[in-house]
């Protein structure tokens, strides 16, 4: 016992390292010292009040200067303020006590409540699982949205993007998934949301039942860019902790675009050159490292949904294009469908689940392909049909599509309070296809 204590004491660093602020330029704090490394947590002592200090992170170096980005406002920082290095990156406390809580980017409850002892300390920046140790995805996961379960089937550990413009129903859809899926736990991170929308999402979209089986991490749009990025890293670390406990975790991030925007702000402040549409190179390095952390490992799984805001509904803008290449599928929400009151506004023909073929049987795939073919045929001829230029009997395929279309449209719509199991979705798909065959 004494030998163990002696070893621990000998390994302790008894020195505290200090530096001082030289200047502040925009979001960036430049200091002379202390000796530190990228990602290390530092405290800037303002001196205005006793023990008042501002947390900041080392984000780069410039000549002999340390570049720091603060986690909060920098109004109280002055030239000559003391900078203290901690020697460690930001760590959070994780454990079952987090369930049902709304946390900030530091993992602290936003209602100012406290946790009892017994939580585990964990770094927010973890390495993705070893690709050779990731189990194959072989099981389906119930999402609880009929159009997804039947036509875009999701597997346990799959990572999917939800691509949409603003106001097309992303938050409502995430609320439905959190209430209706059969995952063991939800971890939801809201990055860059308006302050008004946070409580609205919790009470309206998530609901009391959804909150009881969820952990929320929130960083609003008024917070510094580092806090917005750290919210994403904190939530991912929380999900990883519960995955390592053997749970099947449902992880939802709204939105990855705002995380990329925050990373761009930091990159530009540190002097990186802007490249594609103003995004810095580090953004495209950060995204795969962050998104690859979810998925399966040898203990459990994290099934992830990442929402992507597409400017002007442009599906080929840089972040959308990069994220689509990293993930295992994408769901496109269509503004035209939303304007018609079609909810969820999923454009089935533009959406795909890359793992559907390996986790569903042939009968299910056949029914899904039949529906897609009918919907595709109708969409191609919709203009002719709507103006009355198409004459019945001209094409057998179009006649079939016209016959099935009202049934398909009804099948793809679902009210927010309607709960449909995975098995019911497949049964209803088969029933709908059979019903169409009997229409003359």
């Amino acid at each position: 016992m004494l030998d163990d204590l002696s070893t621990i004491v000998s390994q302790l660093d008894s020195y505290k390292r200090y530096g001082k602020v030289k200047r502040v330029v925009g979001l960036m704090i430049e200091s002379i010292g202390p000796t530190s490394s990228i990602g290390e947590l530092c405290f800037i002592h303002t001196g205005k009040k006793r023990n008042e200090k501002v947390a900041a992170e080392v984000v780069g170096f410039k000549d002999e200067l340390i570049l720091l980005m603060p986690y909060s406002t920098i109004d109280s920082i002055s030239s000559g303020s003391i900078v203290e290095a901690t020697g460690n990156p930001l760590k959070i406390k994780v454990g079952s006590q987090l369930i049902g809580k709304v946390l900030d980017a530091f993992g602290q409850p936003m209602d100012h409540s406290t946790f009892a002892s017994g939580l585990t300390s964990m770094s927010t920046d973890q390495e993705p699982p070893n690709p050779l140790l990731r189990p194959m995805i072989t099981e389906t996961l119930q999402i609880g949205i009929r159009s997804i379960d039947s036509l875009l089937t999701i597997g346990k550990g799959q990572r999917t993007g939800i691509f949409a413009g603003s106001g097309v129903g992303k938050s409502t859809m995430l609320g439905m998934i959190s209430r209706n899926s059969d995952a063991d736990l939800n971890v939801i991170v809201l990055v860059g949301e308006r302050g008004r929308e946070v409580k609205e999402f919790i009470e309206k979209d998530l609901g009391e039942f959804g909150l009881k089986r969820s952990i929320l991490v929130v960083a609003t749009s008024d917070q510094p860019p580092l806090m917005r990025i750290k919210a994403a890293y904190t939530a991912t670390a929380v999900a990883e902790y519960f995955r390592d406990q053997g749970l099947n975790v449902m992880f939802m991030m709204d939105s990855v675009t705002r995380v990329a925007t925050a990373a761009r702000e930091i990159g530009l402040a540190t002097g990186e050159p802007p490249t594609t549409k103003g995004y810095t190179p580090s953004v495209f390095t950060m995204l795969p490292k962050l998104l690859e952390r979810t998925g399966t490992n040898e203990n459990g799984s994290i099934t992830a949904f990442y929402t992507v805001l597409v400017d002007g509904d442009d599906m080929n803008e840089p972040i959308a294009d990069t994220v689509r290449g990293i993930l295992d599928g994408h769901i496109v929400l269509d503004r035209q469908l939303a304007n018609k009151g079609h909810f969820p506004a999923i454009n089935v023909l533009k959406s795909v689940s890359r793992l559907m073929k390996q986790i569903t049987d042939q009968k299910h795939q056949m029914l899904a392909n039949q529906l897609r073919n009918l919907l595709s045929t109708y969409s191609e001829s919709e203009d002719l049909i709507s103006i009355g230029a198409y004459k019945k009997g001209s094409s057998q395929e179009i006649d079939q599509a016209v016959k099935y279309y009202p049934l398909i449209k009804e099948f793809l719509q679902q009210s927010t309070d309607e709960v449909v199991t995975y098995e019911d979705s497949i049964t209803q798909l088969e029933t709908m296809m059979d019903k169409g065959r009997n229409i003359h």
Side-chain angles (χ1 to χ4, degrees), residues 21 143 168 175 185 243 247 333 344 376 438:
V21 172
I143 301 303
V168 189
L185 175 72
R243 175 180 63 186
L247 300 184
L333 301 188
S376 176
N438 299 324

Side-chain angles (χ1 to χ4, degrees), residues 301-341:
S301 69
I302 302 174
T303 306
F305 283 92
Y306 297 94
T307 68
V308 182
L309 285 166
V310 285
D311 294 332
D313 297 325
D314 176 16
M315 300 303 296
N316 296 313
E317 61 97 25
I319 299 303
D321 206 37
T322 302
V323 171
R324 190 165 52 238
I326 297 168
L327 300 180
D328 308 316
H330 53 271
I331 295 170
V332 178
L333 301 188
D334 194 311
R335 189 175 299 279
Q336 286 186 330
L337 290 174
N339 291 341
K340 293 175 183 176

Side-chain angles (χ1 to χ4, degrees), residues 66-178:
I66 309 295
L67 303 182
L68 297 154
M69 183 73 74
Y71 286 107
S72 57
T73 57
I74 57 175
D75 299 343
S76 55
I77 295 172
S78 59
S79 178
S81 293
I82 299 299
V83 181
E84 177 190 349
T86 64
N88 295 302
L90 176 67
K91 292 188 176 182
I92 57 168
K93 299 286 188 179
V94 290
S96 58
Q97 294 179 46
L98 272 59
I99 299 173
K101 294 284 188 179
V102 181
L103 312 175
D104 62 15
F106 292 114
Q108 296 298 315
M110 293 188 73
D111 59 2
H112 303 297
S113 60
T114 56
F115 294 126
S117 58
L119 295 178
T120 303
S121 183
M122 182 178 184
S123 172
T124 59
D125 196 357
Q126 302 287 330
E127 288 297 318
N130 185 324
L132 296 182
L133 298 179
R134 284 184 184 262
M136 294 275 287
I137 297 172
T138 55
E139 294 181 63
T140 59
L141 181 73
Q142 174 184 301
I143 301 303
I145 297 177
R146 183 167 47 231
S147 52
I148 296 177
D149 282 336
S150 58
L151 304 173
L152 303 163
T153 311
I154 304 295
K156 285 182 182 176
Q158 183 171 343
R159 299 162 303 134
T160 307
I162 299 175
F163 294 75
S166 56
V168 189
K170 294 186 303 298
S171 297
T172 307
M173 190 168 156
L174 292 181
M176 282 183 73
I177 293 171
S178 62

